[in-house]
Amino acid sequence: MSDYSKNPIPKAFSEGLNSNSQTSEVNDELTILRSLLLDIEPTKLKRLYERLENPQIQPEDISQMLPEAVILRSKQDKQLGEVMVSTVENAIEVSVQQDHNVLADALFPVIGPATRKAISAALEEMMQSMNQTLEHSLSPQSFKWRLEAQRTGKSFAEIVLLRTLVYRVEQIFLIHKQSGLVLQHLITTQVGVQDPDLVAAMLTAIQDFIRDSFSVQKIDGLKSLRFGELIIWIEEGPQALVAAMIRGNPPQELRLVLQEAIEKIHLKLSREIKNFTGATEVFQASKPYLEACLVVQYKPAPKKNYTYAWAFLGAIAIACGIWGFFIIREQLRWQAYLQKLNSQPGIIVINSKQAFGKYFISGMRDPLAIDPNTLIQQTNLNPKIVITQWQPYLSLEPQFIAKRVEKLLQPPQTVSLKIDNNGILNAKGYAPQKWILATRNLWQFIPGLTQLQENNLVAIELSELELSKKQIEQKIFLFSEGTTELIPGEIDKLPNLFTSIRKCLSLANYLGKNVQIQIIGHTNSAGTEGQNKLLSQARAQKILSYLKSKGINTNQFKVIGVSYSLPFQPEVTPESKKVNRRVSFKVFVANTR
């Protein structure tokens, strides 16, 4: 039995285990009791303890309260907006630097309508002013108004507006009666802006002065004031009044418009006016009623006869149209001429301009290019107004290189010349040797050529030499049996042999060729080999003697006797034996250099 079996677990250790288990059971019972009494889970309770122990504000808490805090702060004053201006500006700047398309896409739905509205308003205002100015610019009254404009320093359009105006409501004020503060202020276009609070204070002071000075009842108020060309009409309500600043002579019907406006404002904003403490944002709702009071009326324009004026303007328009037609036509012809020049090979336009009613062109022109004056005639331009200055140059375009080759080399009709893209001149066909030698020297002086390719070019004399060679080798002379005498009729063939040999030697000498002509003697099978050898040698020598007698240098000839070793035909008939008794020729042509 082991020591562990002999010595059981110590009593103290076992008691400690029992105490720990009891403590754990007590804690669990307290946790269950706490959750039953407080209805809080242990996890939530732990979070509450952590929250109490950490007084710092958490970002989650700020995110929940931030929207309401911003709204409450913005209602108190404008400090929050002023503080955020720099932050928003920096954010927009960073956004634009990173990707300007984001801001552009966001503003696209707004920019288009706003731009169109602004342009429409500007055009409408401009057309109205232009119509009025044109309407009065040709009348006798206009001269009087122009003098007035010069005298007063105002523009002519402004004088026309003032003299044709019946009345115009330039400004409208909504004023709180009790405090005398301006609740809302609207102004029409093209009118200088005054301080609305100053105007309201002035009206309040005038009313107080009249009431105090003339013992007027408080319920009575000031109805109208006149300051030169300006009239101020006032319509009061229980808590606010409307003051209209009018230029001209307004009709009484305008008071009904002002009364209706103040009534509608009290109907809609009575509570706001009564509880007014200084904030005017709420009174933006009164703008539609006040805008209805900004009316204007002009004098109806008298019908006038502008026949002469329109006729004069029409004549000017026709003259301008005709002048413009000729100018445009001339410009089109000029552009067509320039386009034709630029499209022509061998012509380079460097500079072109128009001055003093003439056209000036300078550039470079290949002598083989088309004459620019012929292009002027094609475009119907007047040659007298076109001044040209062309500097000569050599174009390397293939067509001009080909023209120079044809002009300088003058090839015969039996030769075809072709230039590839690399500037290689390919010559093909038959040509005199003299032309070939000249071409080998001249092609290097033609700009644009880099090489002469003449592998397919054959000299005519060489072909004639070859023909003479063949003619000589085709000739044979027949001899009588066992003798060196030519048979009848063969002697007549000797002049033709002489002519062919002389031509062959002449062509070879011209071409620088070395010619060797073998005169070969033959016999038939009759006789011994020794006899036939001597006989064949003698027959060949006889032909050589004839040529020598005609003055031909025999140094280029060689006499050979071959006996019966090279028969022309097998000797089976008397005729074949006759043919084998002959003299034949072999011509060898070699280069001397």
Side-chain angles (χ1 to χ4, degrees), residues 410-468:
Q410 297 181 355
Q413 295 181 353
T414 56
V415 175
S416 64
L417 300 177
K418 186 177 180 182
I419 304 170
D420 62 13
N421 296 330
N422 297 323
I424 300 176
L425 175 61
N426 293 280
K428 182 179 180 181
Y430 298 90
Q433 180 70 12
K434 183 179 180 180
W435 182 87
I436 295 176
L437 295 176
T439 300
R440 290 172 181 171
N441 295 326
L442 294 177
W443 75 267
Q444 305 177 46
F445 300 99
I446 301 177
L449 292 183
T450 59
Q451 184 181 351
L452 173 63
Q453 185 63 257
E454 53 173 321
N455 294 337
N456 296 323
L457 183 63
V458 179
I460 295 177
E461 292 84 356
L462 188 62
S463 62
E464 292 178 355
L465 176 62
E466 187 68 23
L467 179 61
S468 298

Short mmCIF file of all heavy atoms in Angstrom, two decimals, residues 410-468:
data_model
loop_
_atom_site.label_atom_id
_atom_site.label_comp_id
_atom_site.label_asym_id
_atom_site.label_seq_id
_atom_site.Cartn_x
_atom_site.Cartn_y
_atom_site.Cartn_z
N GLN A 410 17.20 59.98 -117.61
CA GLN A 410 16.57 59.78 -118.91
C GLN A 410 16.69 58.32 -119.36
O GLN A 410 17.37 57.98 -120.34
CB GLN A 410 17.21 60.70 -119.96
CG GLN A 410 17.01 62.17 -119.66
CD GLN A 410 17.63 63.07 -120.72
OE1 GLN A 410 18.29 62.59 -121.65
NE2 GLN A 410 17.41 64.37 -120.59
N PRO A 411 16.05 57.41 -118.66
CA PRO A 411 16.17 55.98 -118.99
C PRO A 411 15.50 55.65 -120.31
O PRO A 411 14.52 56.28 -120.71
CB PRO A 411 15.46 55.30 -117.82
CG PRO A 411 14.46 56.31 -117.36
CD PRO A 411 15.12 57.64 -117.56
N PRO A 412 16.00 54.65 -121.02
CA PRO A 412 15.32 54.21 -122.25
C PRO A 412 14.01 53.52 -121.93
O PRO A 412 13.73 53.17 -120.78
CB PRO A 412 16.34 53.24 -122.87
CG PRO A 412 17.17 52.76 -121.72
CD PRO A 412 17.25 53.92 -120.77
N GLN A 413 13.20 53.33 -122.97
CA GLN A 413 11.89 52.74 -122.76
C GLN A 413 11.97 51.29 -122.30
O GLN A 413 11.01 50.76 -121.74
CB GLN A 413 11.07 52.84 -124.04
CG GLN A 413 10.75 54.27 -124.45
CD GLN A 413 9.93 54.33 -125.72
OE1 GLN A 413 9.70 53.30 -126.37
NE2 GLN A 413 9.49 55.53 -126.08
N THR A 414 13.09 50.65 -122.56
CA THR A 414 13.25 49.25 -122.16
C THR A 414 13.64 49.09 -120.69
O THR A 414 13.83 47.97 -120.23
CB THR A 414 14.32 48.59 -123.04
OG1 THR A 414 15.53 49.35 -122.94
CG2 THR A 414 13.86 48.52 -124.48
N VAL A 415 13.76 50.21 -119.96
CA VAL A 415 14.17 50.16 -118.54
C VAL A 415 13.04 50.74 -117.69
O VAL A 415 12.47 51.79 -118.03
CB VAL A 415 15.46 50.97 -118.32
CG1 VAL A 415 15.80 51.02 -116.82
CG2 VAL A 415 16.60 50.34 -119.09
N SER A 416 12.71 50.07 -116.61
CA SER A 416 11.74 50.58 -115.63
C SER A 416 12.48 50.86 -114.32
O SER A 416 13.27 50.05 -113.86
CB SER A 416 10.63 49.56 -115.39
OG SER A 416 11.14 48.38 -114.81
N LEU A 417 12.19 52.04 -113.76
CA LEU A 417 12.83 52.48 -112.52
C LEU A 417 11.77 52.58 -111.43
O LEU A 417 10.69 53.13 -111.66
CB LEU A 417 13.52 53.83 -112.72
CG LEU A 417 14.62 53.88 -113.77
CD1 LEU A 417 15.15 55.30 -113.91
CD2 LEU A 417 15.76 52.92 -113.43
N LYS A 418 12.08 52.11 -110.24
CA LYS A 418 11.16 52.14 -109.10
C LYS A 418 11.95 52.47 -107.83
O LYS A 418 13.02 51.90 -107.61
CB LYS A 418 10.44 50.80 -108.96
CG LYS A 418 9.36 50.81 -107.88
CD LYS A 418 8.63 49.48 -107.84
CE LYS A 418 7.56 49.49 -106.76
NZ LYS A 418 6.86 48.18 -106.68
N ILE A 419 11.37 53.36 -106.99
CA ILE A 419 12.02 53.79 -105.74
C ILE A 419 11.20 53.26 -104.57
O ILE A 419 9.99 53.53 -104.49
CB ILE A 419 12.13 55.32 -105.68
CG1 ILE A 419 12.87 55.84 -106.91
CG2 ILE A 419 12.82 55.76 -104.41
CD1 ILE A 419 12.83 57.34 -107.06
N ASP A 420 11.83 52.52 -103.67
CA ASP A 420 11.10 52.02 -102.51
C ASP A 420 11.18 53.02 -101.36
O ASP A 420 11.75 54.11 -101.49
CB ASP A 420 11.63 50.65 -102.08
CG ASP A 420 13.10 50.71 -101.66
OD1 ASP A 420 13.63 51.82 -101.46
OD2 ASP A 420 13.72 49.64 -101.54
N ASN A 421 10.55 52.67 -100.23
CA ASN A 421 10.48 53.58 -99.09
C ASN A 421 11.83 53.87 -98.46
O ASN A 421 11.97 54.86 -97.74
CB ASN A 421 9.52 53.02 -98.03
CG ASN A 421 8.10 52.92 -98.55
OD1 ASN A 421 7.69 53.71 -99.39
ND2 ASN A 421 7.35 51.94 -98.05
N ASN A 422 12.81 53.02 -98.69
CA ASN A 422 14.14 53.22 -98.11
C ASN A 422 15.05 54.03 -99.02
O ASN A 422 16.24 54.18 -98.74
CB ASN A 422 14.78 51.88 -97.80
CG ASN A 422 14.00 51.11 -96.75
OD1 ASN A 422 13.46 51.71 -95.81
ND2 ASN A 422 13.91 49.80 -96.90
N GLY A 423 14.54 54.53 -100.13
CA GLY A 423 15.35 55.33 -101.04
C GLY A 423 16.22 54.50 -101.95
O GLY A 423 17.20 55.01 -102.52
N ILE A 424 15.90 53.22 -102.16
CA ILE A 424 16.68 52.35 -103.05
C ILE A 424 16.07 52.42 -104.44
O ILE A 424 14.88 52.20 -104.63
CB ILE A 424 16.69 50.90 -102.52
CG1 ILE A 424 17.33 50.86 -101.13
CG2 ILE A 424 17.43 49.99 -103.49
CD1 ILE A 424 17.30 49.48 -100.50
N LEU A 425 16.93 52.71 -105.45
CA LEU A 425 16.50 52.80 -106.85
C LEU A 425 16.70 51.44 -107.49
O LEU A 425 17.82 50.94 -107.62
CB LEU A 425 17.31 53.87 -107.59
CG LEU A 425 17.03 54.00 -109.08
CD1 LEU A 425 15.58 54.39 -109.34
CD2 LEU A 425 17.98 55.02 -109.72
N ASN A 426 15.59 50.81 -107.88
CA ASN A 426 15.63 49.51 -108.53
C ASN A 426 15.48 49.71 -110.03
O ASN A 426 14.46 50.24 -110.50
CB ASN A 426 14.51 48.61 -108.00
CG ASN A 426 14.71 48.25 -106.54
OD1 ASN A 426 15.49 47.36 -106.21
ND2 ASN A 426 14.03 48.96 -105.65
N ALA A 427 16.50 49.26 -110.80
CA ALA A 427 16.49 49.34 -112.27
C ALA A 427 16.31 47.95 -112.84
O ALA A 427 16.98 47.00 -112.43
CB ALA A 427 17.79 49.97 -112.77
N LYS A 428 15.40 47.85 -113.82
CA LYS A 428 15.07 46.55 -114.39
C LYS A 428 14.85 46.72 -115.89
O LYS A 428 14.22 47.68 -116.33
CB LYS A 428 13.80 46.00 -113.73
CG LYS A 428 13.38 44.63 -114.21
CD LYS A 428 12.13 44.17 -113.48
CE LYS A 428 11.69 42.80 -113.94
NZ LYS A 428 10.46 42.36 -113.25
N GLY A 429 15.40 45.76 -116.67
CA GLY A 429 15.20 45.79 -118.12
C GLY A 429 16.52 45.75 -118.87
O GLY A 429 17.55 45.28 -118.36
N TYR A 430 16.46 46.27 -120.12
CA TYR A 430 17.63 46.29 -121.00
C TYR A 430 17.97 47.72 -121.34
O TYR A 430 17.10 48.54 -121.62
CB TYR A 430 17.35 45.50 -122.29
CG TYR A 430 17.05 44.04 -122.04
CD1 TYR A 430 15.75 43.60 -121.83
CD2 TYR A 430 18.08 43.11 -122.04
CE1 TYR A 430 15.48 42.26 -121.60
CE2 TYR A 430 17.82 41.76 -121.82
CZ TYR A 430 16.52 41.35 -121.60
OH TYR A 430 16.25 40.04 -121.38
N ALA A 431 19.30 48.00 -121.32
CA ALA A 431 19.75 49.36 -121.60
C ALA A 431 21.14 49.30 -122.21
O ALA A 431 21.90 48.34 -121.97
CB ALA A 431 19.77 50.19 -120.33
N PRO A 432 21.49 50.34 -122.96
CA PRO A 432 22.86 50.39 -123.49
C PRO A 432 23.88 50.44 -122.35
O PRO A 432 23.63 51.00 -121.29
CB PRO A 432 22.87 51.67 -124.33
CG PRO A 432 21.44 51.92 -124.66
CD PRO A 432 20.66 51.43 -123.49
N GLN A 433 25.02 49.84 -122.62
CA GLN A 433 26.06 49.81 -121.62
C GLN A 433 26.50 51.22 -121.23
O GLN A 433 26.81 51.49 -120.07
CB GLN A 433 27.26 49.00 -122.14
CG GLN A 433 28.42 48.89 -121.20
CD GLN A 433 28.11 48.01 -119.99
OE1 GLN A 433 27.10 47.31 -119.98
NE2 GLN A 433 28.97 48.04 -119.00
N LYS A 434 26.49 52.12 -122.18
CA LYS A 434 26.88 53.50 -121.91
C LYS A 434 25.94 54.14 -120.89
O LYS A 434 26.38 54.84 -119.98
CB LYS A 434 26.88 54.29 -123.22
CG LYS A 434 27.32 55.72 -123.06
CD LYS A 434 27.32 56.43 -124.41
CE LYS A 434 27.77 57.87 -124.26
NZ LYS A 434 27.78 58.58 -125.57
N TRP A 435 24.63 53.88 -121.04
CA TRP A 435 23.65 54.45 -120.09
C TRP A 435 23.83 53.83 -118.71
O TRP A 435 23.71 54.51 -117.69
CB TRP A 435 22.23 54.20 -120.60
CG TRP A 435 21.18 54.79 -119.71
CD1 TRP A 435 20.69 56.04 -119.75
CD2 TRP A 435 20.52 54.13 -118.63
NE1 TRP A 435 19.75 56.24 -118.77
CE2 TRP A 435 19.63 55.06 -118.05
CE3 TRP A 435 20.57 52.85 -118.09
CZ2 TRP A 435 18.81 54.76 -116.98
CZ3 TRP A 435 19.77 52.54 -117.01
CH2 TRP A 435 18.89 53.50 -116.45
N ILE A 436 24.12 52.53 -118.69
CA ILE A 436 24.31 51.87 -117.39
C ILE A 436 25.51 52.46 -116.67
O ILE A 436 25.46 52.73 -115.46
CB ILE A 436 24.47 50.35 -117.59
CG1 ILE A 436 23.17 49.76 -118.17
CG2 ILE A 436 24.84 49.67 -116.28
CD1 ILE A 436 23.28 48.29 -118.50
N LEU A 437 26.61 52.69 -117.40
CA LEU A 437 27.79 53.25 -116.77
C LEU A 437 27.53 54.67 -116.27
O LEU A 437 27.99 55.06 -115.19
CB LEU A 437 28.95 53.25 -117.78
CG LEU A 437 29.44 51.85 -118.22
CD1 LEU A 437 30.52 51.99 -119.28
CD2 LEU A 437 29.96 51.06 -117.02
N ALA A 438 26.77 55.45 -117.06
CA ALA A 438 26.46 56.82 -116.63
C ALA A 438 25.55 56.81 -115.41
O ALA A 438 25.69 57.64 -114.50
CB ALA A 438 25.81 57.58 -117.79
N THR A 439 24.60 55.89 -115.37
CA THR A 439 23.68 55.80 -114.24
C THR A 439 24.43 55.46 -112.94
O THR A 439 24.12 55.98 -111.87
CB THR A 439 22.59 54.76 -114.52
OG1 THR A 439 21.86 55.15 -115.68
CG2 THR A 439 21.64 54.62 -113.33
N ARG A 440 25.43 54.61 -113.04
CA ARG A 440 26.21 54.24 -111.86
C ARG A 440 26.92 55.45 -111.25
O ARG A 440 27.19 55.48 -110.05
CB ARG A 440 27.24 53.17 -112.22
CG ARG A 440 26.62 51.82 -112.55
CD ARG A 440 27.67 50.86 -113.09
NE ARG A 440 27.07 49.57 -113.41
CZ ARG A 440 27.73 48.59 -114.06
NH1 ARG A 440 29.00 48.79 -114.44
NH2 ARG A 440 27.13 47.46 -114.33
N ASN A 441 27.21 56.44 -112.08
CA ASN A 441 27.89 57.63 -111.58
C ASN A 441 26.92 58.74 -111.14
O ASN A 441 27.21 59.49 -110.22
CB ASN A 441 28.83 58.19 -112.66
CG ASN A 441 29.96 57.22 -113.00
OD1 ASN A 441 30.44 56.51 -112.12
ND2 ASN A 441 30.36 57.20 -114.25
N LEU A 442 25.75 58.81 -111.82
CA LEU A 442 24.86 59.95 -111.60
C LEU A 442 23.87 59.76 -110.46
O LEU A 442 23.41 60.74 -109.87
CB LEU A 442 24.09 60.26 -112.89
CG LEU A 442 24.92 60.77 -114.07
CD1 LEU A 442 24.04 60.97 -115.29
CD2 LEU A 442 25.62 62.07 -113.70
N TRP A 443 23.50 58.53 -110.13
CA TRP A 443 22.43 58.33 -109.13
C TRP A 443 22.82 58.90 -107.76
O TRP A 443 21.96 59.30 -106.98
CB TRP A 443 22.10 56.84 -109.01
CG TRP A 443 23.12 56.03 -108.25
CD1 TRP A 443 24.17 55.36 -108.77
CD2 TRP A 443 23.19 55.83 -106.84
NE1 TRP A 443 24.90 54.74 -107.80
CE2 TRP A 443 24.31 55.01 -106.59
CE3 TRP A 443 22.43 56.26 -105.76
CZ2 TRP A 443 24.68 54.62 -105.30
CZ3 TRP A 443 22.79 55.86 -104.48
CH2 TRP A 443 23.90 55.06 -104.25
N GLN A 444 24.10 58.96 -107.46
CA GLN A 444 24.55 59.45 -106.16
C GLN A 444 24.29 60.95 -105.98
O GLN A 444 24.28 61.44 -104.85
CB GLN A 444 26.03 59.17 -105.98
CG GLN A 444 26.41 57.70 -106.16
CD GLN A 444 27.90 57.47 -106.05
OE1 GLN A 444 28.55 57.97 -105.15
NE2 GLN A 444 28.45 56.70 -106.99
N PHE A 445 24.07 61.66 -107.09
CA PHE A 445 23.84 63.10 -107.01
C PHE A 445 22.35 63.45 -106.92
O PHE A 445 22.01 64.64 -106.94
CB PHE A 445 24.45 63.79 -108.24
CG PHE A 445 25.92 63.58 -108.36
CD1 PHE A 445 26.44 62.61 -109.21
CD2 PHE A 445 26.80 64.36 -107.62
CE1 PHE A 445 27.81 62.42 -109.32
CE2 PHE A 445 28.18 64.18 -107.72
CZ PHE A 445 28.68 63.19 -108.57
N ILE A 446 21.50 62.46 -106.83
CA ILE A 446 20.05 62.70 -106.72
C ILE A 446 19.67 62.63 -105.24
O ILE A 446 19.82 61.58 -104.60
CB ILE A 446 19.26 61.66 -107.52
CG1 ILE A 446 19.67 61.70 -109.00
CG2 ILE A 446 17.76 61.90 -107.37
CD1 ILE A 446 19.00 60.66 -109.85
N PRO A 447 19.18 63.73 -104.63
CA PRO A 447 18.79 63.72 -103.21
C PRO A 447 17.67 62.70 -102.96
O PRO A 447 16.71 62.60 -103.73
CB PRO A 447 18.31 65.15 -102.95
CG PRO A 447 18.93 65.97 -104.04
CD PRO A 447 19.01 65.07 -105.23
N GLY A 448 17.81 61.99 -101.89
CA GLY A 448 16.78 61.03 -101.49
C GLY A 448 17.12 59.60 -101.84
O GLY A 448 16.52 58.67 -101.29
N LEU A 449 18.10 59.36 -102.76
CA LEU A 449 18.49 58.00 -103.12
C LEU A 449 19.62 57.54 -102.23
O LEU A 449 20.57 58.29 -101.95
CB LEU A 449 18.93 57.94 -104.58
CG LEU A 449 17.84 58.18 -105.64
CD1 LEU A 449 18.42 58.01 -107.03
CD2 LEU A 449 16.65 57.25 -105.44
N THR A 450 19.53 56.30 -101.78
CA THR A 450 20.55 55.73 -100.89
C THR A 450 21.33 54.59 -101.55
O THR A 450 22.43 54.28 -101.10
CB THR A 450 19.90 55.21 -99.60
OG1 THR A 450 18.92 54.21 -99.94
CG2 THR A 450 19.21 56.35 -98.85
N GLN A 451 20.75 53.98 -102.60
CA GLN A 451 21.41 52.81 -103.20
C GLN A 451 20.84 52.56 -104.59
O GLN A 451 19.68 52.88 -104.86
CB GLN A 451 21.22 51.58 -102.31
CG GLN A 451 21.95 50.33 -102.79
CD GLN A 451 21.70 49.15 -101.87
OE1 GLN A 451 21.13 49.29 -100.80
NE2 GLN A 451 22.12 47.97 -102.29
N LEU A 452 21.68 51.99 -105.48
CA LEU A 452 21.25 51.59 -106.82
C LEU A 452 21.25 50.07 -106.89
O LEU A 452 22.28 49.43 -106.65
CB LEU A 452 22.17 52.17 -107.89
CG LEU A 452 21.92 51.69 -109.33
CD1 LEU A 452 20.54 52.12 -109.79
CD2 LEU A 452 22.99 52.23 -110.27
N GLN A 453 20.11 49.51 -107.19
CA GLN A 453 19.98 48.06 -107.32
C GLN A 453 19.79 47.74 -108.81
O GLN A 453 18.74 48.03 -109.39
CB GLN A 453 18.77 47.58 -106.50
CG GLN A 453 18.60 46.07 -106.45
CD GLN A 453 19.76 45.40 -105.77
OE1 GLN A 453 20.62 44.83 -106.46
NE2 GLN A 453 19.81 45.46 -104.45
N GLU A 454 20.85 47.10 -109.44
CA GLU A 454 20.83 46.84 -110.88
C GLU A 454 21.01 45.37 -111.21
O GLU A 454 21.47 45.02 -112.30
CB GLU A 454 21.93 47.66 -111.57
CG GLU A 454 23.32 47.46 -110.97
CD GLU A 454 24.39 48.16 -111.79
OE1 GLU A 454 24.27 48.13 -113.03
OE2 GLU A 454 25.31 48.72 -111.18
N ASN A 455 20.62 44.50 -110.29
CA ASN A 455 20.77 43.08 -110.56
C ASN A 455 19.93 42.62 -111.74
O ASN A 455 20.30 41.70 -112.47
CB ASN A 455 20.40 42.27 -109.32
CG ASN A 455 21.37 42.52 -108.17
OD1 ASN A 455 22.51 42.92 -108.40
ND2 ASN A 455 20.92 42.29 -106.94
N ASN A 456 18.79 43.26 -111.93
CA ASN A 456 17.89 42.88 -113.02
C ASN A 456 18.05 43.77 -114.24
O ASN A 456 17.18 43.79 -115.12
CB ASN A 456 16.44 42.96 -112.54
CG ASN A 456 16.15 41.96 -111.42
OD1 ASN A 456 16.67 40.85 -111.44
ND2 ASN A 456 15.33 42.36 -110.46
N LEU A 457 19.13 44.51 -114.30
CA LEU A 457 19.40 45.39 -115.44
C LEU A 457 20.48 44.74 -116.31
O LEU A 457 21.57 44.42 -115.83
CB LEU A 457 19.86 46.76 -114.95
CG LEU A 457 20.11 47.81 -116.01
CD1 LEU A 457 18.83 48.14 -116.77
CD2 LEU A 457 20.70 49.08 -115.40
N VAL A 458 20.16 44.57 -117.58
CA VAL A 458 21.07 43.90 -118.52
C VAL A 458 21.41 44.87 -119.64
O VAL A 458 20.53 45.54 -120.19
CB VAL A 458 20.42 42.63 -119.10
CG1 VAL A 458 21.37 41.94 -120.09
CG2 VAL A 458 20.04 41.68 -117.98
N ALA A 459 22.73 44.89 -120.01
CA ALA A 459 23.16 45.75 -121.12
C ALA A 459 22.70 45.14 -122.44
O ALA A 459 22.77 43.92 -122.66
CB ALA A 459 24.67 45.92 -121.10
N ILE A 460 22.24 45.98 -123.35
CA ILE A 460 21.77 45.51 -124.66
C ILE A 460 22.93 44.89 -125.44
O ILE A 460 22.77 43.85 -126.11
CB ILE A 460 21.15 46.68 -125.44
CG1 ILE A 460 19.89 47.17 -124.73
CG2 ILE A 460 20.82 46.27 -126.87
CD1 ILE A 460 19.25 48.38 -125.39
N GLU A 461 24.11 45.49 -125.37
CA GLU A 461 25.27 44.95 -126.07
C GLU A 461 25.61 43.55 -125.58
O GLU A 461 26.07 42.69 -126.35
CB GLU A 461 26.47 45.86 -125.87
CG GLU A 461 26.35 47.22 -126.56
CD GLU A 461 25.59 48.23 -125.72
OE1 GLU A 461 25.11 47.82 -124.63
OE2 GLU A 461 25.48 49.38 -126.12
N LEU A 462 25.39 43.29 -124.30
CA LEU A 462 25.68 41.96 -123.77
C LEU A 462 24.75 40.92 -124.36
O LEU A 462 25.17 39.80 -124.68
CB LEU A 462 25.56 41.99 -122.24
CG LEU A 462 26.01 40.71 -121.52
CD1 LEU A 462 27.49 40.45 -121.78
CD2 LEU A 462 25.76 40.85 -120.02
N SER A 463 23.49 41.28 -124.52
CA SER A 463 22.56 40.35 -125.15
C SER A 463 22.91 40.15 -126.61
O SER A 463 22.79 39.03 -127.15
CB SER A 463 21.13 40.87 -125.00
OG SER A 463 20.98 42.12 -125.67
N GLU A 464 23.36 41.24 -127.29
CA GLU A 464 23.78 41.09 -128.68
C GLU A 464 25.03 40.22 -128.78
O GLU A 464 25.19 39.43 -129.73
CB GLU A 464 24.04 42.47 -129.28
CG GLU A 464 22.77 43.30 -129.44
CD GLU A 464 23.07 44.69 -130.00
OE1 GLU A 464 24.27 45.00 -130.17
OE2 GLU A 464 22.10 45.43 -130.26
N LEU A 465 25.94 40.37 -127.80
CA LEU A 465 27.13 39.52 -127.79
C LEU A 465 26.75 38.06 -127.63
O LEU A 465 27.32 37.17 -128.28
CB LEU A 465 28.06 39.97 -126.66
CG LEU A 465 29.33 39.12 -126.45
CD1 LEU A 465 30.23 39.17 -127.70
CD2 LEU A 465 30.10 39.61 -125.22
N GLU A 466 25.81 37.84 -126.76
CA GLU A 466 25.34 36.45 -126.56
C GLU A 466 24.71 35.91 -127.83
O GLU A 466 24.91 34.73 -128.18
CB GLU A 466 24.36 36.42 -125.39
CG GLU A 466 23.93 35.04 -124.98
CD GLU A 466 25.06 34.24 -124.35
OE1 GLU A 466 26.03 34.86 -123.84
OE2 GLU A 466 24.98 32.99 -124.36
N LEU A 467 23.98 36.78 -128.53
CA LEU A 467 23.36 36.35 -129.79
C LEU A 467 24.42 36.04 -130.85
O LEU A 467 24.33 35.03 -131.57
CB LEU A 467 22.40 37.43 -130.29
CG LEU A 467 21.68 37.14 -131.60
CD1 LEU A 467 20.81 35.90 -131.49
CD2 LEU A 467 20.84 38.35 -132.05
N SER A 468 25.43 36.90 -130.93
CA SER A 468 26.52 36.65 -131.88
C SER A 468 27.24 35.35 -131.55
O SER A 468 27.63 34.59 -132.46
CB SER A 468 27.51 37.82 -131.87
OG SER A 468 26.87 39.01 -132.27
#
